[in-house]
Amino acid sequence: MYCGRPIEATHLPTKIELSGPKRQILDLDDAYALFISAKVKDVIESFEPDVHQFFPIEFVWEDGSHAADRFWFVPCNRLDTVDRAKTTFEFRNLWFLDGSKKELVFNRSQIGSHHVWIDKFIVMPTPAVSEALKAALDAAGITGAHYQHFPETD
C-alpha cells in the first residue's frame, strides 16, 4: 500500500469487521492500512486533486451493524526527498531509523509542490505530509492523526 504508486484494487476488501466495544471511529486510522474519513479525503483532494487513490470500505461491528464508512488511502507520489548531505543516517539499501541521535533531513526542493508522498528510499509506516497539509488537517479537526516532524532544507 505504501510504495507511492497506484495499485490494482480488484481484490481489496470492501468491508472490515471491528472487534471490541463500540466506540467513536477516528477520521484517520493506520492500524492495518491507512483508512480515512471523507473529511480527510476532501482535505487531501483540495491540495492534490486526482493524484491519489481512495477506495470505499465499510467498517462494521462484530454484530454486523454499521460502524463507519471510510476509504483505503493509497498515496501515489513516490519521491526521493531526503537531503543526503545533511542526513546523518547511514544509507545502505534502506534508511535505517535506529532511534539514535542521528537525523533524517528532508529537502524542500526535492519535495517540490507535493503534499503527500512516500519516499522511495525509506520504509515508511505512513506517508509523509507537508506542513501546509498538516495545518489543513488540524484546522479541519481531523481525529486520529499523529505526526513526527523532521527537519527540512531548501
Side-chain angles (χ1 to χ4, degrees):
M1 293 298 253
Y2 304 120
C3 64
R5 297 282 187 242
I7 64 166
E8 171 55 49
T10 303
H11 301 290
L12 279 180
T14 57
K15 191 178 286 192
I16 291 181
E17 183 179 287
L18 301 177
S19 60
K22 291 184 178 182
R23 60 200 174 276
Q24 174 82 21
I25 305 300
L26 302 174
D27 290 309
L28 196 150
D29 183 345
D30 63 356
Y32 302 105
L34 196 52
F35 299 112
I36 62 172
S37 68
K39 186 164 54 167
V40 176
K41 178 183 180 289
D42 291 345
V43 172
I44 292 169
E45 285 280 283
S46 74
F47 278 79
E48 295 182 332
D50 303 318
V51 171
H52 308 287
Q53 291 178 307
F54 304 92
F55 301 103
I57 188 158
E58 181 187 12
F59 287 1
V60 296
W61 299 114
E62 289 175 302
D63 66 6
S65 63
H66 178 80
D69 290 314
R70 292 292 181 263
F71 294 91
W72 292 84
F73 172 48
V74 179
C76 295
N77 286 324
R78 179 181 163 96
L79 308 171
D80 176 4
T81 59
V82 174
D83 187 322
R84 286 178 178 74
K86 302 258 169 94
T87 292
T88 55
F89 281 103
E90 183 179 347
F91 183 74
R92 292 190 183 166
N93 291 332
L94 300 171
W95 291 95
F96 293 97
L97 305 182
D98 60 10
S100 70
K101 297 291 182 190
K102 295 180 180 180
E103 197 166 52
L104 178 63
V105 180
F106 288 92
N107 186 304
R108 278 189 218 102
S109 65
Q110 290 169 231
I111 296 166
S113 62
H114 298 94
H115 292 280
V116 179
W117 71 93
I118 298 296
D119 188 286
K120 60 184 172 180
F121 294 111
I122 303 173
V123 175
M124 300 177 74
T126 57
V129 299
S130 68
E131 291 292 333
L133 180 58
K134 177 195 177 299
L137 292 168
D138 289 347
I142 300 303
T143 59
H146 50 275
Y147 307 100
Q148 182 175 0
H149 183 268
F150 292 96
E152 295 179 346
T153 61
D154 289 323

